Amino acid sequence: MAKFKITSDFKPTGDQPQAIERLVKGLDKGLEHQVLLGVTGSGKTFSMAQVIAKVQRPTLIISHNKTLAAQLAQEFKVLFPENAVEYFVSYYDYYQPEAYLPSSDTYIEKDASINEEIEKLRLSATTSLLTRRDVIVVASVSCIYNLGSPVEYGQAILEIGKGMKVTFEQVKKILQKMYYDRNDIDFKRGTYRVRGESIDIFPSYMDCGYRLQFLGDKVEKVSKLDTVTGNTIQVAETQVIYPAKHYITPEQRLIPGMQQIETDLEARLKELGKQNKLVEAQRLEQKTHYDLEMIREYGYCSGIENYSRYFDGRNPGESPYTLLNFFPEDYLVIIDESHITLPQIRGMYNGDRS
């Protein structure tokens, strides 16, 4: 198993050695909170890297904005070139939440523009957390928001290797359940294409793809695919492909989840009827039935995260799954610029809960 290893020409100096030693001792004793004070340029990031290397624990670093998080991620990548340093922030370039104005019966649909590069980095972070321990994730407050179940995400995988007995059609069905779309023309992340007796897959979290070549009901060859040049390199070991989206709902959960949604909808419509809010009731019924129809047909709908409690099997008021659930129990949390970041986390948590 890979270990955290710092690559640097510099060594801790000045106050850094004693600060690192005291922080490590505090972690070994099980202290929940420790604070490292230091002026700008005093080497706090380098000291934190030394702590991570000494305790050898998967680490979440929270920063209060995307730009600082990106800068920190780059610094840690330089210090830990052999380990997985990931970047996890909100992937919306633009976001307008859905809204309804009963006075004019106006429904404003949710509209969002997702940054595909950031989505790739988010998926890369969760994939790394499920496959290795030498992981540092630099995140914004986005890490406390709903992300889907890590158990379902980790189970909805495709393992493929040379000589494996699996048919062409079976692989296509599995990819569809993993939310990969077939696109034989525009081959991009989160899609697959069929070429004769081969399937090309472009994982959502990678810059390269895989080419699977079949002979009858057996995988004849597995290659890494350069999606730009089309060049391939054969790989010997079994490859694991993870889902194209974070929200994975197994089929056995869909039907009971939808039944519960319909039960709760009936109760809510009765409440609105008693309050003589007939326009609101009609709109709610129309929207919910439309979403349920989309889920029945495609297994997905716009804003499916609104229904995540039903498909996760959670109780009302119970916390959703977040990035934090993808970490093992012994992970380390470092909060950068804590005098700004902690009030922001508190404000976002309490605001979202209210």
Side-chain angles (χ1 to χ4, degrees), residues 108-122:
I108 302 168
E109 193 171 1
K110 172 183 168 181
D111 187 21
S113 172
I114 290 176
N115 186 307
E116 288 186 9
E117 184 64 24
I118 293 179
E119 185 179 27
K120 181 204 85 171
L121 295 171
R122 286 164 63 94

Side-chain angles (χ1 to χ4, degrees), residues 42-313:
S42 59
K44 295 187 295 296
T45 301
F46 184 64
S47 299
M48 290 293 93
Q50 295 289 335
V51 171
I52 293 168
K54 286 181 182 296
V55 299
Q56 293 291 322
R57 284 155 66 172
T59 303
L60 170 65
I61 301 170
I62 308 178
S63 186
H64 60 87
N65 70 47
K66 289 182 178 182
T67 308
L68 277 175
Q71 181 184 324
L72 268 177
Q74 192 55 44
E75 289 175 8
F76 277 100
K77 276 183 180 177
V78 172
L79 290 168
F80 293 99
E82 297 175 21
N83 307 114
V85 178
E86 306 287 355
Y87 178 65
F88 189 97
V89 298
S90 171
Y91 57 17
Y92 292 114
D93 285 335
Y94 164 75
Y95 184 83
Q96 176 184 277
E98 63 181 347
Y100 179 64
L101 307 175
S103 56
S104 58
D105 191 23
T106 303
Y107 172 66
I108 302 168
E109 193 171 1
K110 172 183 168 181
D111 187 21
S113 172
I114 290 176
N115 186 307
E116 288 186 9
E117 184 64 24
I118 293 179
E119 185 179 27
K120 181 204 85 171
L121 295 171
R122 286 164 63 94
L123 285 156
S124 175
T126 51
T127 303
S128 291
L129 286 169
L130 291 177
T131 54
R132 55 198 294 180
R133 274 186 62 86
D134 59 325
V135 183
I136 298 169
V137 180
V138 184
S140 66
V141 73
S142 178
C143 66
I144 72 170
Y145 286 107
N146 190 357
L147 197 60
S149 167
V151 176
E152 305 299 349
Y153 180 79
Q155 288 178 347
I157 59 172
L158 172 63
E159 289 188 62
I160 207 81
K162 182 181 176 182
M164 193 173 286
K165 281 196 170 186
V166 62
T167 67
F168 199 78
E169 290 301 319
Q170 283 173 333
V171 170
K172 281 170 40 181
K173 281 183 181 177
I174 294 169
L175 288 171
Q176 285 165 1
K177 287 180 181 178
M178 292 164 65
Y179 297 111
Y180 282 87
D181 297 322
R182 178 171 175 174
N183 195 326
D184 294 342
I185 300 166
D186 183 18
F187 188 50
K188 58 185 180 181
R189 289 191 190 97
T191 66
Y192 71 96
R193 67 185 178 193
V194 177
R195 296 273 179 93
E197 290 300 309
S198 68
I199 297 178
D200 294 343
I201 306 167
F202 199 163
S204 298
Y205 48 89
M206 291 174 64
D207 291 318
C208 63
Y210 291 107
R211 174 165 290 168
L212 316 179
Q213 292 171 268
F214 291 81
L215 185 63
D217 61 350
K218 190 182 288 186
V219 178
E220 184 183 26
K221 188 178 178 184
V222 179
S223 310
K224 276 200 172 177
L225 171 69
D226 187 316
T227 56
V228 178
T229 65
N231 294 333
T232 59
I233 302 170
Q234 188 169 351
V235 290
E237 66 275 10
T238 299
Q239 302 299 313
V240 178
I241 299 169
Y242 282 83
K245 297 181 186 294
H246 279 123
Y247 295 98
I248 302 294
T249 304
E251 288 180 6
Q252 63 267 29
R253 287 254 187 93
L254 277 176
I255 293 172
M258 287 191 290
Q259 287 172 344
Q260 188 60 49
I261 291 169
E262 287 175 337
T263 302
D264 288 357
L265 174 64
E266 280 182 30
R268 182 66 178 142
L269 291 176
K270 284 178 184 175
E271 282 180 32
L272 292 171
K274 287 177 182 176
Q275 296 167 21
N276 204 31
K277 293 183 176 179
L278 305 180
V279 179
E280 290 93 327
Q282 188 270 338
R283 176 63 223 168
L284 179 64
E285 185 175 23
Q286 183 184 26
K287 175 74 171 74
T288 309
H289 282 158
Y290 174 79
D291 287 344
L292 289 173
E293 189 63 30
M294 290 291 288
I295 293 169
R296 282 191 193 96
E297 289 297 318
Y298 302 105
Y300 199 78
C301 76
S302 177
I304 195 168
E305 62 272 13
N306 295 334
Y307 303 106
S308 65
R309 177 176 76 77
Y310 296 95
F311 300 127
D312 289 345

